[in-house]
Amino acid sequence: MENLNGLVPDIPIQEQKDNAAASENFGRSVDEMVGKVDQLEQRLNEVEHFYSNTSKKQSNTPRGGSILKDKEKQISSFRRRQQDASRREAAGSRRMQELMRQFGTILRQSNCQITQHKWAEPFMEPVDVKGLGLHDYYEVIEKPMDFSTIKNKMEAKDGSGYKHVREICADVRLIFKNAMKYNEERDDVHVMAKTLLGKFEEKWLQLLPKVDEEEKRRKEEEAEAQQDMQLAQEAAHAKMAKDLTIELDEVDMQLEELREMVLQKCRKISTEDRKQLGNALTKLSPEDLNKALLIVAQNDPAFQPTATEVELDMNAQSESTLWKLKFFVQDVLHAQGKSAASVKTNNVNTSNLLNNNNNNNKRRREIYDVLAKSSQKRGKKPS
């Protein structure tokens, strides 16, 4: 490769091969890092989306230290309820089965005289539509019902049975309402159905308070289950956020190792290079200049990049900082399509590394931005 400004001697062929191999390894490392950062970004977006939605739902809740204590109590309660979930579900099922048993008693007891009533016979089995010649029955009645069908469904063991006592109540009413709908008001069957429906409603009112109480209890348990689900999601996303923090720290360390690997290949920054770099900084946009200042602040906590007046002494900066600035400025100017002459490198090794990885310039800039911002946030943490 041709010398730059005549300041670097010709590089032996073996060293050029070594540099090419190092450049290739560096490129693979950068590609792996880009892929990992992409994955972390997707997971981070998922966590941010979850907590954004959660904060909107809880916007009316009190804020302060009490929230954390309340959340800890809720999670502790959630764990206890998780352990008792099966027990509560089984208990609720038993209570509903008892209500349905009491309902069956209402239908059968003699003093109620519903299924035992002499008028109950037309309603005990499905209507014999064909035998009675009721050719329009299915046109009038959408869902036929009878007590034998209800009995079979109440005794079903295959999971097709009733789940709630109100379902049985609805089918009993349907028996009588179908009969009243199909038969004229003066017909015997209509009168019989109306009479038995009245008797049934009287008995149903006696059971209704227990039904209401059970439904209220179920709603409370469903609300608890919903809260449990929310807490489970929060716990999962809290763990994800914790894992992300650890992985981001690992990425930070790996990037630092990559930077050190590059810096070891770089020569010392000359006085002329410092001057050229300072001139190049003046060509950056305000936004990119702020990013460059954050890079300086990363290695110099005393430097205030957001001060009203910022004085940057290039001669006072470390080699590491200067090379980071140089890489950043080269990437920015390359992206802008400007000439890199004002910051052109005199190091052939560095030139090879940069030329072989131009496709990764955009992602490198994003990584520089993330690291600069993370450094600024670490600088703001209390000691």
Side-chain angles (χ1 to χ4, degrees):
M1 182 176 288
E2 211 176 276
N3 292 344
L4 297 180
N5 294 340
L7 296 179
V8 180
D10 289 331
I11 300 176
I13 294 177
Q14 184 58 46
E15 187 173 346
Q16 291 184 33
K17 291 181 179 179
D18 293 342
N19 290 337
S23 176
E24 185 176 350
N25 290 334
F26 179 77
R28 282 197 297 268
S29 297
V30 170
D31 290 339
E32 291 174 2
M33 192 63 60
V34 168
K36 189 168 185 178
V37 169
D38 284 338
Q39 294 177 1
L40 291 175
E41 185 177 10
Q42 292 177 1
R43 291 164 59 193
L44 181 61
N45 289 337
E46 180 183 345
V47 172
E48 288 180 343
H49 179 71
F50 173 79
Y51 281 109
S52 175
N53 291 339
T54 301
S55 63
K56 290 178 181 178
K57 294 177 182 178
Q58 298 177 347
S59 59
N60 294 326
T61 59
R63 300 183 179 277
S66 61
I67 293 181
L68 181 59
K69 295 179 180 179
D70 291 343
K71 188 64 66 180
E72 290 174 350
K73 291 179 181 179
Q74 288 176 352
I75 292 177
S76 176
S77 175
F78 156 62
R79 289 170 180 165
R80 290 196 302 271
R81 291 200 301 270
Q82 266 192 324
Q83 296 172 353
D84 296 341
S86 298
R87 181 187 59 79
R88 292 200 316 272
E89 185 177 351
S93 178
R94 287 195 298 271
R95 291 194 304 271
M96 184 56 65
Q97 289 295 328
E98 175 59 21
L99 285 174
M100 289 192 286
R101 186 195 66 77
Q102 293 181 32
F103 187 92
T105 301
I106 290 176
L107 296 180
R108 292 188 300 270
Q109 62 186 203
S110 58
N111 62 343
C112 178
Q113 295 186 349
I114 296 179
T115 58
Q116 302 296 325
H117 197 282
K118 62 180 180 179
W119 287 353
E121 184 177 353
F123 313 109
M124 298 303 296
E125 300 292 337
V127 175
D128 184 5
V129 176
K130 187 175 181 180
L132 296 175
L134 308 177
H135 305 299
D136 61 345
Y137 186 80
Y138 295 116
E139 296 177 8
V140 179
I141 303 303
E142 296 179 4
K143 182 183 177 182
M145 187 54 59
D146 64 278
F147 281 113
S148 67
T149 300
I150 292 177
K151 181 175 181 292
N152 291 336
K153 196 170 180 179
M154 288 180 68
E155 296 174 352
K157 305 297 183 182
D158 58 357
S160 62
Y162 294 109
K163 301 296 188 297
H164 198 292
V165 68
R166 285 189 183 274
E167 296 175 358
I168 313 176
C169 176
D171 279 351
V172 171
R173 285 172 175 158
L174 186 61
I175 293 174
F176 301 130
K177 289 186 177 181
N178 282 347
M180 293 165 64
K181 181 178 181 180
Y182 187 79
N183 297 276
E184 296 291 338
E185 192 170 346
R186 294 182 180 180
D187 288 349
D188 290 343
V189 174
H190 184 107
V191 174
M192 294 159 65
K194 187 174 182 179
T195 301
L196 292 178
L197 178 60
K199 291 181 176 293
F200 167 72
E201 295 293 355
E202 290 176 2
K203 286 298 179 180
W204 170 248
L205 288 176
Q206 296 176 12
L207 185 63
L208 191 56
K210 294 182 179 179
V211 176
D212 290 340
E213 181 181 353
E214 176 60 25
E215 288 178 334
K216 180 181 178 181
R217 187 170 181 175
R218 285 197 168 198
K219 285 182 179 179
E220 291 173 351
E221 291 180 351
E222 287 173 2
E224 286 184 359
Q226 186 66 30
Q227 187 181 40
D228 289 348
M229 185 182 298
Q230 176 68 20
L231 288 172
Q233 291 177 343
E234 289 184 14
H237 283 85
K239 183 180 183 302
M240 187 184 297
K242 182 178 179 180
D243 293 342
L244 277 171
T245 300
I246 296 173
E247 291 183 58
L248 285 170
D249 287 340
E250 292 176 354
V251 168
D252 198 355
M253 293 175 60
Q254 292 171 6
L255 285 170
E256 195 63 39
E257 291 174 359
L258 287 176
R259 280 198 295 269
E260 290 301 321
M261 184 176 72
V262 173
L263 291 175
Q264 289 174 5
K265 297 288 184 179
C266 298
R267 62 172 176 77
K268 295 288 184 179
I269 297 287
S270 66
T271 302
E272 181 62 24
D273 287 336
R274 295 170 188 258
K275 182 179 178 181
Q276 290 180 355
L277 183 56
N279 291 334
L281 289 173
T282 63
K283 297 183 179 182
L284 300 181
S285 67
E287 180 182 358
D288 287 329
L289 181 58
N290 286 336
K291 293 177 183 178
L293 295 178
L294 287 175
I295 293 176
V296 177
Q298 182 180 352
N299 289 345
D300 184 4
F303 181 72
Q304 299 294 328
T306 58
T308 306
E309 293 184 5
V310 178
E311 182 177 350
L312 179 60
D313 185 359
M314 300 301 293
N315 293 323
Q317 304 307 314
S318 66
E319 289 288 322
S320 175
T321 299
L322 290 172
W323 275 111
K324 290 173 186 176
L325 281 175
K326 192 165 187 175
F327 290 151
F328 175 74
V329 171
Q330 282 180 325
D331 287 343
V332 171
L333 294 182
H334 181 272
Q336 293 175 347
K338 295 182 178 180
S339 172
S342 59
V343 287
K344 68 182 175 182
T345 179
N346 294 320
N347 186 292
V348 175
N349 297 348
T350 304
S351 179
N352 285 339
L353 290 174
L354 293 174
N355 289 335
N356 287 336
N357 290 285
N358 279 337
N359 292 334
N360 291 312
N361 282 345
K362 182 178 179 180
R363 287 303 294 170
R364 283 196 201 127
R365 286 185 63 197
E366 292 177 357
I367 293 173
Y368 292 149
D369 295 347
V370 171
L371 289 176
K373 291 178 180 178
S374 66
S375 174
Q376 186 183 38
K377 289 180 180 178
R378 287 195 295 270
K380 293 180 179 179
K381 290 181 179 180
S383 57

